[in-house]
Amino acid sequence: MFATMAAAALVLGVWALKTVNVQDIGGAGLIQVLPPTYFVALGMSLAGFVGSLGLKVLRPWLLVVQLLVLIIVLHGADPIIHDLPRLEASYRHLGIADYISQSGGLNRKLDAYFNWPGFFGLLAILSDATGVHDLTWAATWAPIGVNVLLLPALLALALRLSSNPRQAWAGVWMFYLASWVGQDYLSPQACALLLLLTLLACVLTVFPGWPWKRTGKLSSRIRGFVRRVEIGRPAAVKLDLSRTGYIVLAAVCAVLLAGMTVAHQLTPFAAIPVLGLLALSGNSRLWFLPVLALLLPVCWLVFAATPFLLGHLQTLFGSLGNINAAASASLLNRVGGSPAHQFIVYSRLAEAAVIWFLAGLGSLQGRRSRRPWLAAALGTVAPFVMFPLQSYGGELLLRIYLFSLPFAACLVVLPLLPRGPEPPGARRMGALLLLGSVIATSTVTARYGNDAIETFTPDEIALASRLYSIAPHGTVLIEAVHDTAWRFNDYAGYRYETLLQAEPAKPGDAPPSCASITELVPSTGAYLIVTASQIHAAEILNTGPAEGLEHLIDRCALQGGWSMEFRNAGGEIYHLPGAPHGI
């Protein structure tokens, strides 16, 4: 019955997504245009999982099927609707991998990505090994592929954080329901998150325990405190491993840390407080892992990413310890734009706050009912240690939520499931279904709220391809708004400039003008690309001129003697003559 329900939800959900008219997507994203049949399919998927969870005998294969359907229906909306990669960064990442594949080397002075080349090098190796040089298909379907790859690591981690398998399966389900951040595209963050979750699952499963012997007053006090706080500690998994096997797995953990270090700037630093707190709470006896987690990224930054370090000292350390700066970048500066965009921002903040609040309630319930909760609670709060360190371009709070979610999800569902292995009753199942429905609807709103900005049309891709065919090598290319699907071709062959960032304008910012564009034009001339997504971004974020971006471009084109080189439904390309005193 529940397998049939999953199949019906899959067919109905995909069909509903295929009926969406992309021209109707506005400032609030997909929530405005999704048909009622989509929410029926989503509801069937949720009911199917809760029903499968409530069976007397758990059937793992059935729960996996339910989760796969949820991944496709909830996290596969963009590729199913648009059939193109989402986010301009996806196209940039394809260009970096192509550059490494074609040149066989790195250019660390080109930009920051080449200082953390692990993920891009892997893409280049896969491309060369398979002979498939166009990885657009991989970037398109990455949201589904990444979430499927995360499933084994999430389940292994949840099984060690929970008191019974039902809670673990429900925790994984809640993770997918509440995962609105959208970092599951073809990106170093997705790769590093997979490595991090695999590492943590390995540590909690194979190496639980205290990293020091029972000697000394401090050790005894810490042990006593942990025992008082968490009475019902999880039982250790009995593994029939030799000493050599444990050594090999410890080495694998170190390799996973090294993989994160060369792939992503932030994730290794998120691992430090998590591993440290797990060791202090008696959940990891690998005392060297927190130390290694600190040494590896620091040494990489100093010795391998030297060009980036020397050029971004102020960015890296200028706001160190400044909580107000971090809060402004992550909260205040993001609340802006059109009313619809502000609604999306508040929806994201509200969902994050609700998940963390429910995780807190789950921790209290776990302590009262003597169920394992401490490791999950520590994993939830550990990423907040990064908050006063660096704003990470205003995205730090989003990443903190992403890193804490696998732990918080296990706590959110804890009060709704029985303590023992027995199935939940009708009331608990109803409450779980109701909570899942609310969170899933909120995630649809929050995850796809910027869909008009984050997705592109085939005409825009064709426009960017035409730009590369007409612009001579080494030319300056200007985008009106930093929301362009480009840089996928000849990554290092052009100089790129941006007129407006894709973020709400701050008070006191000077509005763009024709002179602002002229300042970006060298004496040899330049090309300007204006796309439909850029125009949407300027309108939704209120970052453009008061007269509108299109009117500004038309006026500047007349005044400056620009020539239109190409136009299609996706936008226009202009050639800008060289400025007398250009750069």
Side-chain angles (χ1 to χ4, degrees):
M1 172 185 173
F2 295 119
T4 303
M5 185 179 295
L10 177 63
V11 173
L12 186 62
V14 172
W15 176 80
L17 292 171
K18 283 293 186 181
T19 64
V20 171
N21 184 359
V22 297
Q23 302 298 327
D24 295 335
I25 299 174
L30 290 186
I31 197 70
Q32 295 176 297
V33 297
L34 288 171
T37 49
Y38 172 80
F39 293 98
V40 172
L42 183 59
M44 291 173 60
S45 172
L46 303 182
F49 179 87
V50 173
S52 301
L53 192 70
L55 294 175
K56 291 184 179 180
V57 178
L58 278 181
R59 294 181 172 85
W61 68 268
L62 182 58
L63 292 168
V64 169
V65 168
Q66 301 288 357
L67 289 174
L68 291 177
V69 170
L70 177 65
I71 288 171
I72 295 173
V73 173
L74 183 58
H75 297 282
D78 266 334
I80 293 173
I81 292 174
H82 301 281
D83 197 25
L84 281 171
R86 60 179 287 269
L87 294 175
E88 56 85 21
S90 295
Y91 298 87
R92 195 185 331 141
H93 294 170
L94 291 175
I96 296 170
D98 179 70
Y99 175 88
I100 295 174
S101 176
Q102 296 295 327
S103 66
L106 304 174
N107 186 348
R108 296 188 184 278
K109 296 182 179 180
L110 187 59
D111 58 36
Y113 292 102
F114 290 93
N115 291 274
W116 285 270
F119 170 74
F120 305 109
L122 178 62
L123 280 185
I125 291 173
L126 292 176
S127 177
D128 292 339
T130 60
V132 180
H133 298 294
D134 185 3
L135 297 177
T136 304
W137 62 273
T140 299
W141 297 100
I144 294 178
V146 168
N147 281 293
V148 171
L149 290 175
L150 288 175
L151 179 54
L154 284 169
L155 182 58
L157 179 62
L159 286 170
R160 296 306 304 145
L161 297 174
S162 306
S163 59
N164 60 72
R166 293 184 195 274
Q167 183 189 347
W169 283 102
V172 175
W173 178 66
M174 183 57 62
F175 171 87
Y176 286 120
L177 292 182
S179 181
W180 56 262
V181 179
Q183 288 296 317
D184 50 8
Y185 67 106
L186 194 70
S187 65
Q189 175 65 93
C191 176
L193 180 63
L194 176 60
L195 296 177
L196 176 62
L197 295 180
T198 304
L199 167 67
L200 296 175
C202 182
V203 168
L204 290 173
T205 303
V206 184
F207 303 101
W210 296 93
W212 55 75
K213 297 180 180 180
R214 299 184 180 182
T215 56
K217 292 183 178 180
L218 180 60
S219 173
S220 299
R221 288 179 179 178
I222 294 176
R223 287 171 181 264
F225 175 76
V226 171
R227 289 195 184 96
R228 289 193 300 271
V229 170
E230 185 181 39
I231 300 175
R233 292 181 63 79
V237 178
K238 295 182 180 180
L239 299 175
D240 187 16
L241 290 176
S242 64
R243 179 178 177 83
T244 302
Y246 281 109
I247 293 174
V248 170
L249 286 176
V252 168
C253 291
V255 171
L256 292 173
L257 272 177
M260 281 186 280
T261 300
V262 301
H264 195 240
Q265 305 99 314
L266 185 65
T267 305
F269 290 99
I272 298 170
V274 177
L275 292 171
L277 289 177
L278 289 179
L280 287 174
S281 61
N283 289 287
S284 170
R285 64 177 185 267
L286 296 181
W287 61 267
F288 69 88
L289 272 187
V291 178
L292 189 62
L294 175 62
L295 290 178
L296 282 177
V298 171
C299 290
W300 183 269
L301 183 63
V302 173
F303 297 109
T306 308
F308 177 83
L309 176 63
L310 295 178
H312 298 81
L313 289 174
Q314 179 61 31
T315 302
L316 290 172
F317 306 110
S319 60
L320 188 65
N322 192 337
I323 297 179
N324 290 333
S328 297
S330 298
L331 296 172
L332 300 181
N333 293 346
R334 288 186 167 270
V335 179
S338 66
H341 180 70
Q342 292 185 41
F343 169 73
I344 297 302
V345 174
Y346 285 124
S347 297
R348 292 173 170 177
L349 295 176
E351 182 169 347
V354 167
I355 292 296
W356 284 325
F357 175 75
L358 293 178
L361 293 182
S363 299
L364 295 176
Q365 178 63 26
R367 188 172 188 275
R368 283 199 297 264
S369 59
R370 299 189 174 187
R371 284 187 276 178
W373 64 274
L374 184 59
L378 293 176
T380 300
V381 302
F384 282 91
V385 174
M386 300 186 296
F387 192 73
L389 301 181
Q390 222 262 348
S391 65
Y392 202 68
E395 292 189 3
L396 187 58
L397 190 61
L398 306 181
R399 306 304 174 97
I400 288 174
Y401 178 77
L402 178 66
F403 294 136
S404 71
L405 184 58
F407 299 91
C410 294
L411 294 172
V412 169
V413 299
L414 188 149
L416 302 178
L417 294 170
R419 180 179 179 182
E422 67 274 9
R427 289 185 179 180
R428 291 180 183 269
M429 291 175 62
L432 193 62
L433 179 59
L434 177 61
L435 176 62
S437 301
V438 173
I439 297 298
T441 304
S442 176
T443 295
V444 172
T445 304
R447 177 182 172 93
Y448 299 110
N450 289 336
D451 206 65
I453 301 174
E454 295 177 346
T455 57
F456 309 96
T457 65
D459 287 319
E460 290 180 88
I461 309 303
L463 187 73
S465 298
R466 184 60 179 266
L467 174 64
Y468 290 119
S469 68
I470 62 178
H473 195 272
T475 303
V476 171
L477 306 181
I478 305 172
E479 59 180 349
V481 181
H482 185 52
D483 189 41
T484 311
W486 64 353
R487 304 194 74 168
F488 53 82
N489 185 35
D490 198 4
Y491 188 84
Y494 298 89
R495 290 171 51 195
Y496 293 89
E497 299 288 349
T498 299
L499 176 63
L500 293 168
Q501 296 298 322
E503 57 187 27
K506 302 178 182 63
D509 286 352
S513 62
C514 297
S516 304
I517 302 175
T518 304
E519 291 175 357
L520 303 175
V521 181
S523 57
T524 55
Y527 288 85
L528 172 69
I529 182 171
V530 184
T531 67
S533 294
Q534 293 177 16
I535 294 172
H536 288 317
E539 293 174 350
I540 293 172
L541 300 174
N542 284 345
T543 191
E547 62 185 302
L549 182 61
E550 289 180 285
H551 288 89
L552 173 66
I553 297 300
D554 290 341
R555 179 165 57 83
C556 295
L558 290 175
Q559 295 178 1
W562 301 355
S563 60
M564 181 177 292
E565 300 293 317
F566 184 73
R567 167 185 283 175
N568 66 6
E572 303 93 22
I573 297 173
Y574 294 92
H575 178 259
L576 282 56
H581 304 288
I583 56 176

